[in-house]
Amino acid sequence: MFGLFRSKPKPLSLMERRRAERVPVRLPATIVLSKNKSLPCHTINVSASGAKLEVPRDRMLPSEFEVLVPARKLRRRARLVWRSEDTLGVQFV
């Protein structure tokens, strides 16, 4: 009888949903859009599963692209997960 009145489970916070811990960094990076097109940006944080990037406002981006972070020797295919005015979150694929 008591089982019928259990409270609903609380939704997971953003930190609990992440697959890997993000490390704060401030490094120059590049979003590669095609063989001849790229967009300079900066990493805000990075993990094994994704990153938060600072990008110029009002730039249109595809749903998938490559992210280069030379200082970390990182070159990964990424999927756009969310975007605000000048930041975006990506998941590495």
Side-chain angles (χ1 to χ4, degrees), residues 8-38:
K8 292 182 181 178
K10 293 181 182 179
L12 296 175
S13 73
L14 181 60
M15 291 304 293
E16 293 169 321
R17 286 183 278 163
R18 287 192 176 146
R19 293 181 186 175
E21 183 178 348
R22 298 216 171 176
V23 178
V25 293
R26 181 75 176 156
L27 298 170
T30 303
I31 294 173
V32 179
L33 302 170
S34 68
K35 192 173 185 177
N36 298 319
K37 285 188 178 182
S38 62

Side-chain angles (χ1 to χ4, degrees), residues 30-80:
T30 303
I31 294 173
V32 179
L33 302 170
S34 68
K35 192 173 185 177
N36 298 319
K37 285 188 178 182
S38 62
L39 175 66
C41 63
H42 283 90
T43 57
I44 295 173
N45 63 45
V46 69
S47 75
S49 61
K52 182 177 181 181
L53 305 174
E54 184 178 51
V55 296
R57 292 182 181 184
D58 302 324
R59 281 302 301 251
M60 296 296 292
L61 294 172
S63 60
E64 287 195 13
F65 45 83
E66 197 168 49
V67 175
L68 305 175
V69 185
R72 292 276 174 126
K73 298 181 182 176
L74 176 74
R75 182 181 193 114
R76 297 286 304 270
R77 189 85 186 147
R79 177 181 302 119
L80 182 62

